[in-house]
Structure formats: C-alpha cells, structure tokens
Amino acid sequence: MHRLILLLVASLLLVVSANVALAQSGSASIRGIVTDPQGSPVAGATVTIAAPERNFTRTQVTNSDGGYLFKPVPPGTYRLEIEMKGFKKALLSAVQALVDTPKDADVQLEVGNVSETVNITSGVAEAPINTTDATIGNTFDGRRISELPLNARNVVGLLSLQPGVTQSGYVNGGRSDQANVTLDGVDVNEQQRGLDVVTGNAFSSVLRVTPDSVQEFRVTTTNPNANQGRSSGAQVSLVTKSGSNDWHGLLYEYHRNTVTTANDWLSNAAGSYGPNDTQVLTGAAKVGDKRSPRPPLLRNIFGGYASGPIKHDRAYFFFTYEGFREATATPVTRTVPILASLGQGNVWYESTVVSGGSRIPNPAGFACPIATNASRRCLSVTPAQIGAAFTVANGVSPGVSAAAVSYLQDIAKRYPANDFTTGSGDLTNTAGFRFNANTPTNNNVYIAKFDFNITSNQSMFFRGNYQDDRIGQAPQFPDQPAPSVWSHPKGLAIGHAWTVSNRIVNNFVYGLTRLSFSQLGDSSANQISFRNIFGFVPTRTSSRLTPVHNFADDVTWTKGNHVFQFGPNIRFITNTRDSFGSAYDFMQTNPSGYNASGAILTRAGADGTGAQIFANVDPNFEASLRNAISAYIGRFSSYTANFQYDSSGKIRSSGLSAKRSFATQEYDLYFQDGWRMKQNLTVSYGLRWGTSTPVYERQGFEVVPTTSLGDFFD
C-alpha cells in the first residue's frame, strides 16, 4: 500500500513539475533525419511543420545526428520546411500524420542558396506505412469514415474491417472483452464487462462517437508498444475533430421506412395459413388470415455539425449533434393456455387408443400434433375427473383449485393463442400468443471540443460528451407495462501539450468517463408462474453509475538516435448499483415439486411407478399432462423467498432496493525506446508495469472471515 501511495505522489509531482499536456495515445508524430548530398547528418537545421488552417506551427533544430521529432501533433496533413545555411530550403507540402502511426519524413538537402526552394513531392502523399515500430493495424481517417457505408452510421462497424478481427470483436485470438478503447487519450472502456447492456458490442466506447465527430482512429491488432499495451486485445485510439480558422458546417437526415423491410420469418410461418390448414384461432378467423403482420420500422437519423474560429489563430471550436429515432416493433411469443382446452376447464392429452380408423380433433380445431396415423386420438378430463381418478389411484384427493381453473380460463380469453408452430407450447393445452411489441428508440448525442494555441510551444484542448438514450423494450403482454432503458453517460477530457525544448515534450490528460444507465422495470410485485403453462417474467428496476477518473502523463525525450518515452497512467474507478432484483419473492406451480419429479400426478404409487391414472396416456405426452394438472391443482409447490440485510445484519423490509458501491484503483507505468540504428532500421523495446487494487465494497457490506483459510481446512 505504501508503494502505491508513493507511486501516486511521484506521478502527481511529475505532472506539476512538467506543467501539463496531451495524452499517451490518440495523437500523431512526425520524425525524420536530415542529411546532405553525401548522406551525412546535418546538425543544426531548422525544421518547421505547419497546418495553416489551424495556425498550428512547431519548430525544432536537428540534433547532432540530424534527427528531429514532433510529438504529439494532432492528426492531419502538414507542411514541412527544412532550412540550413549553405543548402536550398526543402519543402514537403503534404506530410500526413495519422493517429498512433509514427510518420518518417527523411529529407536530403541540396547544396545551394537558402533563398532557393526544392519542392519534394515523391513519397509524400502515398498511403502511410508504419516503418517505425512493430505495431500492426490500420488507420481510418475522416474521409474514409464519412464515405464508407455504415449501418445506422455506427463507426464501430468499421473497426472489424481488417485482418485478424472477427465481427464479434475477437482480435488474433484475443477475447473481445480485452480490447482497450481510448478517446482523445482517455479511457472510455465499459469497466463492468459482461453486463454491458448499454453498448453491447465489441470495441464499444461508453461514449458514443459519430462519423462526423471522429477525426480518425486506429486499431492496433498486434504488437502494441509499451505506452499502449494495457490489455492483451486490440488497442483502439479514437480522436475527436477540431475546429480551424475556416468555418465548416453540415446538416443531414436519413430515413428508412417499413416499405423496404421484410417480414420476420417466424411471423410469416405462424400467421399465414393455407387453404388446406384446419387451424382456427378464434371464431372470427378466416382461412388465409395473416395474424402476425410485418413489424413496422421507421428510422430517422438527423443532425449536423459546425466548426470554426473563436479567436482567429488562437482558439477554435467543434460541435456536433446527432439524433436517432426508431419506431419499430419486435415480434414476441408467449406461452398461454389454449382457449378451447384449458380455457374451457378441460385438460386434453394424447392417447394411444384406437378410434375406429379416424382421428378425433380436439376443440382447438386441429388433430393431436404427433398423430401420424389413424390409431391416435385426443382425450380430455375435467377437474372433477382429475380429482376422482387421483383419489382412486392414491387414496387422497389432489384438491383441484377452482380459483386456478378460473384464472387460467381468464388468461386464455385475454390472450387467445395464435401461434401453433413447434416450440410455442405442447399445442394441445398450450400454444403461443404472438404479437408485435412496440420498441421505440430515442437517442441523442452532443459532442463539443475546444482547442487553444496558448503559445508557439503550448496548446490545450477541452472535449465534452453527453448522451440521452431511451430504448423501449418488449412488454410481457400488450396490456402490460413496457420496460425501458435510459442511458445517459457523460464524459470530458482536458489536455495540454508542452514542447519544453527541442528534445523534451511532455503530455498530460485528465479525463472523466461517467457511465450511467437505468433499467425501468414493469413490476413491483411478487412473481407468480404456472410452469410451462403461463407465467409473467418481470423486469425489475435497476440502475448503475460508473465514473472513471483517468490521469495520464507522457514524457518524450529525444537523445541522439533514441526516442525515450515514459510516464504513468492512473485510473480511479467506482461502481454504484441500485437494484430491485432481490426485493420480491417468487412462487410457481411446478410438477417437479411433487414426489418422483411429478410422476405421481399421472401414475399411481408414492414413487410414481404404478399404473397410469388416466387412460392410455401417450408416454411422450406425460410431461405436458403433468404441467397442466399441477396448474389446475393450483398448489405453489416451489417458493423462493429473498431476504436482504443491512450492514448491521438486520433483515430489511421486503420491496426495498439493494444499494451497493464498489471501487478499485489501477496504476500503470511504462518505459520504451525507439532506437533508430540506421535510416532503414529501428529497434523498439519497452516495459510496462501495472497493478490493480482488489475490488472492495465501500458501504460496509463486505464479509471478512474471522478464521484463516488454513485453519478452516485443518
């Protein structure tokens, strides 16, 4: 613990002593060697890079080995000039710097007057190839992001378009939950992997990015450097756009309609009947009726962005908004009692009795579904017959509940079965109730970024994000409340870049990524279920708040042919949850709650090994018959009670939410060197050390054993 405290203090002192700057990732760099016509290094040459539209200018003097390095610089296209007395000025007009992809720009000067200029165009504008280190990955710039087709304008879809990456997010064998995602150098990972109901995708950022907000991004799929390698998976670096001296703006809207949408296959299969079918759903149903129409889909994506100067050459802004509206419906199938059987107070079952060479259809309007020949027929028993037969076989009455029978009859009337496809019930007493549930989506995202040129050697930025997403979910039944998810994360990043000297550059960034979402439930009562007959599976209200404070500092020191980098990365993570998931009890009618796993409901004897209680039940249908009989008996044979305790050990009242708060801290240090041994040979090596404190509970609910584990085993 003392070591962690010393590490934190040392890191903060490093930040204070070096002023402040940008980030460990999410920026670009330009480096090179200046030589004379004989290939010897030129020391003392003045190297300048400039982006006139942003009034961005940096100047360095080459070292004794003729080397120079500009890091960090915002991704973009730069003009590079090299001047040295006795040589002509060299000009590279389009040097492209990409995020996390070092750019080598070596220049050979020509002897002459410095007033003369040599324009170098060969090898400048071609697609960049990383020749500086061993990292493998592709960079997507703003042009490709805006021009490539994206489903629902989701930038995440582009991240998998490279070798070694699967659609589900596995990268060269690494797990999808091991990807590390940064936005402008700030950690934006979902810290509670596996419970990601907000993003739900690999490579997903807690803060949603839009095609118009991303300057560019890079996915390092293999061999990340020490300054990136926090985890074993892909390293994703996204950079937000910046403003410039020029004004830019855009407005857009995209629309998609149900007309271009195909129907759900199962809806077609369940709802469209041909002339030879005998299935009848209700008395008003006609042959050829389509009971499950095509789910509606209306999608609108709209928004825009604006960018420009706040103060010419000194301060700039970028702002974007995007709205997403989707009015759609999701096909839902629930198991319900069939009106013509359980809904009339009768339990039907499939029998093996020969019936004069003809099948007897049950009142639902169709023959026993497993009947493939004339030797099968359906038989029914009433609640009174169930009680009488059971009493004769076992000497005790099962006590069929009139209330349970009435309840199931009411359910069958409220939700008439309309889906008789396989898997929607036993198709004799139960079937499917299929409907299209409205599941609207209403998303909004706001992103703003401000850039400031403080001096010729210092720059600063501020970026803020806010989302307001409301996602509707399918209700249990059309007349029941619909649950929904409200996601409203926030994020900010503040960074400052300082070129201390021609050899030292310090970068610092602070970021807060605050995940916040709430699940609005549809029930605040105990759960009751008739197993495999009818049940209401509630969604309980819950919420989660996960703020992450991220401090990252990076020092780059150029010495000879070496580029040394080192710095800390510290994250303070808390996770506060509030859930009603354990606030209520659960009870159900369950044939497995009876002796012999319910066999005594259809066979005589305490162990259920005697003769069949009901005549000639097909053995394949006994399980379904037991489900129906246990529902009619109405006895809750399974009951689960949930108890909650406060921190003092006292039982809390039922119906209260459980609030828990957890925390952890993560500390990382790294050192790396890019040693350019020759003009065409660079050796990269480094070391990264990281540690995380065990996750601990913050409100006094954590259990601490009073007996050591060794004594316990003894």
Side-chain angles (χ1 to χ4, degrees), residues 533-573:
I533 300 296
F534 176 78
F536 184 93
V537 183
T539 298
R540 304 300 189 187
T541 298
S542 63
S543 63
R544 179 157 66 93
L545 180 66
T546 310
V548 179
H549 297 271
N550 189 193
F551 301 86
D553 189 74
D554 173 82
V555 178
T556 301
W557 175 32
T558 304
K559 183 175 177 58
N561 292 332
H562 295 269
V563 178
F564 300 108
Q565 287 182 255
F566 55 90
N569 194 316
I570 304 171
R571 292 169 293 275
F572 299 100
I573 306 168

Side-chain angles (χ1 to χ4, degrees), residues 414-659:
R414 288 170 59 188
Y415 311 119
N418 58 8
D419 185 349
F420 295 90
T421 56
T422 302
S424 299
D426 63 22
L427 306 186
T428 300
N429 293 303
T430 60
F433 175 71
R434 191 174 182 87
F435 64 98
N436 290 326
N438 291 327
T439 50
T441 299
N442 187 328
N443 292 349
N444 300 278
V445 57
Y446 307 83
I447 303 172
K449 187 178 182 184
F450 302 91
D451 294 88
F452 306 92
N453 292 329
I454 301 174
T455 68
S456 60
N457 291 327
Q458 299 185 60
S459 62
M460 189 174 183
F461 81 88
F462 170 83
R463 186 258 304 154
N465 300 62
Y466 176 69
Q467 287 174 223
D468 183 7
D469 299 347
R470 300 172 188 269
I471 305 170
Q473 297 179 315
Q476 290 292 312
F477 291 93
D479 58 350
Q480 299 291 335
S484 63
V485 173
W486 177 34
S487 174
H488 47 108
K490 301 175 183 178
L492 62 88
I494 302 174
H496 181 277
W498 182 25
T499 303
V500 182
S501 67
N502 290 337
R503 296 180 179 274
I504 299 176
V505 179
N506 189 82
N507 313 312
F508 173 80
V509 67
Y510 162 74
L512 169 62
T513 302
R514 178 181 178 273
L515 182 147
S516 180
F517 75 87
S518 302
Q519 168 80 63
L520 178 63
D522 56 10
S523 174
S524 57
N526 294 328
Q527 180 185 353
I528 300 175
S529 173
F530 294 80
R531 187 179 182 187
N532 296 324
I533 300 296
F534 176 78
F536 184 93
V537 183
T539 298
R540 304 300 189 187
T541 298
S542 63
S543 63
R544 179 157 66 93
L545 180 66
T546 310
V548 179
H549 297 271
N550 189 193
F551 301 86
D553 189 74
D554 173 82
V555 178
T556 301
W557 175 32
T558 304
K559 183 175 177 58
N561 292 332
H562 295 269
V563 178
F564 300 108
Q565 287 182 255
F566 55 90
N569 194 316
I570 304 171
R571 292 169 293 275
F572 299 100
I573 306 168
T574 57
N575 186 339
T576 302
R577 293 177 285 172
D578 190 358
S579 174
F580 285 85
S582 299
Y584 306 99
D585 296 347
F586 167 66
M587 53 187 173
Q588 67 174 343
T589 64
N590 184 357
S592 297
Y594 293 84
N595 282 357
S597 297
I600 64 167
L601 295 176
T602 56
R603 293 181 178 270
D607 57 358
T609 59
Q612 288 186 344
I613 297 175
F614 307 99
N616 302 306
V617 180
D618 189 299
N620 294 320
F621 200 80
E622 278 198 85
S624 294
L625 180 59
R626 292 166 187 166
N627 292 329
I629 292 175
S630 67
Y632 265 10
I633 292 174
R635 182 177 297 119
F636 294 110
S637 55
S638 174
Y639 192 99
T640 301
N642 292 310
F643 297 94
Q644 297 186 54
Y645 298 83
D646 60 22
S647 57
S648 65
K650 295 181 180 179
I651 297 179
R652 304 175 71 222
S653 300
S654 178
L656 299 179
S657 65
K659 297 182 180 180

Side-chain angles (χ1 to χ4, degrees), residues 136-139 159 162 165 203 217-221 234-237:
I136 298 176
N138 295 318
T139 302
L159 299 179
Q162 47 199 317
V165 182
F203 300 137
F217 67 84
R218 186 185 192 222
V219 181
T220 302
T221 59
Q235 309 296 311
V236 183
S237 299

